[in-house]
Amino acid sequence: MKLIVAEKRSVAQSIAKFLGRSYKSQKLYGVSVYRFNYGGGEAVAIGLSGHIMDFDFAARQNVWTWLPPEELFNATPILVLRGETLKYVKALKSLATKADEVYLALDADVEGEAIAYETALVVKMVNPRARLYRVRFNAVTYKEIVSAFQKPTYIDLKKVEKVFTRMQVDLTLGAVFTRFLTLTVRNSLNKGQFLSYGPCQTPVLGIVVTRELQRRNFKPEKYYVIKAVVEIGSSKVEMSADAKFKTKGEAEAIAATIKRGVVKIAVYKPHYVEPPEPLETVELERRASRWLGINSKKTLDIAEELYRAGYISYPRTETTIYPPTLDLKEVLEELTAGEHGPYALELLRKGFKPTRGDSDDGAHPPIYPTKGATRAEIFKVFGKAGGHAWAVYDLVVRHFLATLSPPALVEKQKIVVSFGKIELSAEGQRTIDEGYWRIYPWEKQPEKPLPRVAPGEPARAVEIRVVERETEPPPQMTESELLALMKKYGIGTDATMQDHIYTNIKRGYVKLVKGKCIPTALGISLATSLFQYAPELIEPTVRAKIEKSLNSIVKDGVSPAKLIAEIKLEFSKYYQNLKAKREEIKKALETALYSIQQQSRG
């Protein structure tokens, strides 16, 4: 018998449908399995629910009061079964006892590689003779699935080591510092409350709090600008001076000299606005947050459901280059059956040239649509979640079509008038050809055309104003901007960035309000304490260093054991610095907790 293991139930069902044409569904220990004929014999497909194993400490080490937190630096985490996955493990063991061949069709990323290894461990417990194969695909479509099963490979153990090393490091660091912070202020916490630390979670909090403190500490300064309505020929143009004046009197003195002038510069220059590069995970999350009002975690959850249902390719990718193996014409032909069909047909008729980024993770193509669909179809498939599902699907399709579209063509315009002591200017824009904006309206730039004038023409100021302004603080951190900074610093992976934001929200350190990340009083107190007494625990560059080290396991064959020991040694030094300031930290955090509790009661 052939046993096929997928990461989710829906993918297992699709595999059974594509490979067997027909299948029988049944329940085994409450888990759906799909039986069908494949390759001249019996086959069965089962879907899991993510990782079935995790790292944990021994039972005694999990009693917080049993040993000082720093002792966990000397502990070795063990691989254990996740309690919530026991029914999947039972079903897997039952099927594995009868399997001659096992195809590990988990997601084609490093996390999927680790889950494939966990699955192999369970299979080998009950059937050491089973032959194991790894199957990777980037889209849940008939063509991709059939092709992947025709050329199975093997588990990439280096990628497994990378994931397992990250899991052990994050468990240890998270446990040590979470216990330290919680035990330091345990008498001020509500029952069941704890202060959590995470090697990715906490640097994310640091970025958000840093921006908020910049806003709070910002001191606005007044300045003055000159604005005028200038008559050139039969046209009137709103113009302003680039200069900023510290006093109103200085500005008014200059304004009094503005009467008659001459056009110094009149530029009307064509400019191409290039379409976006192919779509990767973080950019999908950023754009959905900014344009659709859907937060990053929800966006990726929806994208994964669209992938499992066969509507888009695998959504966890860092690649922005379409591979030569991806038939773009075939994708366009598929889209002609959906709501974006007319535009896809137009590209097929006129021809297309894809844009290209500079990132290639070597594993997955950029995110692209795999099926043409209508709004009604998406709503039918996804039910109550149809609104958000359609919005994300529509964004993916439009982005893909934009990458194959011609650029937009605009005319950049600028007029500069000299009034002797000062120059006034105006900038405008006129659209010549909408290009990719037709399918990608979110990037469409507004028109603000200026009249046609020529250098040397006389000009006259018909209205002059001195306007008082104030310097403005940095804007509140948007989720879109936060994701970009996390990517810059290497905090998390394309698959986990949104989880680190959500963890801060769940812990009560950050609120997400209309796409803005706003730290709470508790979040600010925790972050400022760490910045003051142990900055290495919250500085984003420290996590970037860890991620670089983890990548060296795959790229350079670095020993995981050696790497874990080095990271533990480094963070144990940070711990000692924190411990030496325990009383100061306790006072700062207790003051914040007391204030928060008083506000909630009042």
Side-chain angles (χ1 to χ4, degrees):
M1 182 186 80
K2 292 180 175 64
L3 171 60
I4 299 167
V5 185
E7 199 154 321
K8 297 291 182 181
R9 181 206 62 78
S10 57
V11 179
Q13 185 179 19
S14 294
I15 290 172
K17 180 175 69 175
F18 294 143
L19 297 184
R21 298 294 184 178
S22 63
Y23 59 84
K24 290 182 179 179
S25 174
Q26 67 178 84
K27 293 282 188 180
L28 185 61
Y29 296 104
V31 179
S32 296
V33 297
Y34 304 93
R35 296 187 181 275
F36 57 99
N37 291 319
Y38 175 62
E42 181 188 5
V44 60
I46 179 175
L48 304 178
S49 182
H51 283 278
I52 56 176
M53 295 183 180
D54 206 350
F55 281 92
D56 201 356
F57 295 111
R60 287 172 62 182
Q61 294 167 335
N62 272 324
V63 180
W64 286 28
T65 54
W66 184 266
L67 75 171
E70 61 263 38
E71 289 297 317
L72 293 178
F73 282 126
N74 302 318
T76 301
I78 54 178
L79 197 58
V80 298
L81 290 171
R82 291 188 172 191
E84 67 270 22
T85 65
L86 289 181
K87 66 177 183 178
Y88 295 98
V89 174
K90 286 181 180 179
L92 186 57
K93 284 183 175 180
S94 176
L95 295 171
T97 57
K98 304 167 188 174
D100 302 306
E101 298 176 348
V102 179
Y103 292 83
L104 304 166
L106 289 307
D107 287 351
D109 59 4
V110 290
E111 295 296 328
E113 214 66 29
I115 300 170
Y117 184 80
E118 295 162 18
T119 304
L121 291 179
V122 172
V123 170
K124 288 296 185 180
M125 286 180 195
V126 296
N127 186 353
R129 296 180 303 279
R131 297 187 297 277
L132 301 172
Y133 300 100
R134 181 77 169 100
V135 178
R136 300 181 184 88
F137 44 85
N138 293 309
V140 185
T141 62
Y142 175 81
K143 182 181 177 181
E144 282 266 348
I145 297 295
V146 171
S147 175
F149 274 85
Q150 287 173 348
K151 46 186 179 185
T153 58
Y154 300 97
I155 294 174
D156 187 332
L157 294 177
K158 288 298 178 185
K159 289 182 179 178
V160 176
E161 287 180 341
K162 175 183 175 180
V163 174
F164 281 6
T165 301
R166 179 189 281 117
M167 290 168 75
Q168 292 179 71
V169 165
D170 286 355
L171 170 68
T172 301
L173 301 185
V176 168
F177 292 103
T178 294
R179 293 186 192 187
F180 172 84
L181 292 168
T182 302
L183 294 174
T184 296
V185 295
R186 59 182 166 181
N187 293 331
S188 298
L189 295 172
N190 297 322
K191 186 176 181 181
Q193 186 182 9
F194 63 95
L195 295 183
S196 74
Y197 170 86
C200 287
Q201 165 205 326
T202 304
V204 170
L205 174 63
I207 293 173
V208 175
V209 170
T210 297
R211 172 62 61 80
E212 182 62 24
L213 294 180
Q214 288 172 346
R215 286 176 54 78
R216 293 186 181 187
N217 296 330
F218 182 84
K219 294 179 180 178
E221 295 180 0
K222 287 184 180 180
Y223 66 94
Y224 298 85
V225 296
I226 298 173
K227 290 188 169 293
V229 176
V230 178
E231 188 177 71
I232 308 171
S234 60
S235 301
K236 291 182 179 179
V237 185
E238 282 273 357
M239 307 190 81
S240 60
D242 292 334
K244 295 179 180 179
F245 301 92
K246 291 185 177 180
T247 66
K248 187 176 183 181
E250 183 184 5
E252 287 177 336
I254 295 294
T257 68
I258 300 174
K259 294 178 180 177
R260 294 188 177 275
V262 62
V263 175
K264 182 179 180 181
I265 296 171
V267 176
Y268 304 88
K269 186 177 180 180
H271 173 75
Y272 285 101
V273 182
E274 296 298 328
E277 62 186 33
L279 191 61
E280 45 90 31
T281 306
V282 176
E283 203 56 38
L284 169 64
E285 293 170 344
R286 290 185 66 234
R287 291 173 186 241
S289 175
R290 180 182 172 191
W291 294 332
L292 308 180
I294 304 175
N295 68 54
S296 58
K297 178 172 172 47
K298 189 158 195 167
T299 295
L300 189 54
D301 287 345
I302 292 167
E304 288 182 331
E305 290 302 319
L306 288 165
Y307 157 71
R308 293 178 192 125
Y311 288 101
I312 67 172
S313 64
Y314 191 60
R316 299 186 180 190
T317 176
E318 296 176 357
T319 299
T320 56
I321 304 168
Y322 291 126
T325 52
L326 179 60
D327 190 334
L328 299 175
K329 182 180 177 184
E330 188 176 87
V331 178
L332 283 174
E333 288 170 345
E334 172 59 40
L335 290 178
T336 60
E339 201 144 320
H340 308 85
Y343 194 91
L345 279 169
E346 185 179 321
L347 287 177
L348 285 167
R349 189 174 65 253
K350 291 183 177 179
F352 56 87
K353 182 182 178 182
T355 58
R356 178 186 175 93
D358 56 9
S359 175
D360 187 353
D361 64 14
H364 313 289
I367 305 167
Y368 67 92
T370 55
K371 184 180 179 182
T374 62
R375 183 190 298 263
E377 179 183 343
I378 294 293
F379 270 82
K380 183 178 179 181
V381 172
F382 290 90
K384 292 181 180 179
H388 281 155
W390 171 257
V392 174
Y393 171 78
D394 182 57
L395 174 58
V396 170
V397 176
R398 288 178 181 275
H399 192 104
F400 171 77
L401 293 171
T403 65
L404 305 185
S405 298
L409 178 59
V410 300
E411 183 181 72
K412 293 285 187 181
Q413 306 168 332
K414 184 172 184 178
I415 299 173
V416 178
V417 176
S418 174
F419 287 93
K421 290 185 177 181
I422 195 166
E423 292 179 350
L424 301 184
S425 64
E427 292 186 358
Q429 179 169 297
R430 179 176 67 88
T431 301
I432 300 171
D433 185 343
E434 288 189 318
Y436 80 96
W437 291 345
R438 289 175 49 219
I439 195 66
Y440 209 63
W442 301 286
E443 288 193 349
K444 186 174 183 179
Q445 298 173 6
E447 287 215 357
K448 188 185 174 184
L450 295 177
R452 307 303 272 203
V453 301
E457 283 192 54
R460 181 173 67 93
V462 294
E463 180 186 331
I464 305 169
R465 306 187 312 277
V466 171
V467 181
E468 182 181 287
R469 294 272 177 84
E470 275 191 350
T471 54
E472 296 183 352
Q476 287 181 316
M477 179 73 68
T478 66
E479 186 184 28
S480 176
E481 185 183 2
L482 179 57
L483 285 164
L485 289 170
M486 290 172 70
K487 184 175 181 180
K488 173 185 174 183
Y489 289 117
I491 301 175
T493 66
D494 57 316
T496 63
M497 285 184 187
Q498 77 290 334
D499 289 329
H500 302 313
I501 297 173
Y502 181 71
T503 299
N504 276 294
I505 295 170
K506 193 164 58 174
R507 298 287 183 251
Y509 302 151
V510 172
K511 291 181 180 179
L512 191 60
V513 181
K514 294 182 179 179
K516 306 287 180 62
C517 298
I518 303 171
T520 63
L522 181 58
I524 292 173
S525 177
L526 176 59
T528 51
S529 294
L530 292 176
F531 273 128
Q532 185 173 359
Y533 301 114
E536 299 89 350
L537 296 178
I538 194 167
E539 289 287 352
T541 52
V542 177
R543 181 62 195 191
K545 183 180 173 184
I546 292 178
E547 287 296 335
K548 186 176 180 180
S549 299
L550 290 169
N551 288 333
S552 68
I553 294 174
V554 177
K555 291 182 178 179
D556 307 315
V558 170
S559 163
K562 179 175 179 289
L563 184 57
I564 290 171
E566 290 174 352
I567 294 172
K568 284 184 177 181
L569 178 62
E570 182 179 355
F571 275 78
S572 65
K573 294 175 184 176
Y574 304 154
Y575 179 86
Q576 292 305 321
N577 295 338
L578 201 63
K579 189 176 179 182
K581 299 292 184 179
R582 187 167 201 152
E583 288 306 312
E584 291 94 328
I585 294 169
K586 180 180 180 181
K587 184 177 179 181
L589 291 176
E590 284 184 340
T591 299
L593 288 165
Y594 177 77
S595 175
I596 293 165
Q597 289 165 0
Q598 290 298 109
Q599 289 175 13
S600 63
R601 287 171 189 156

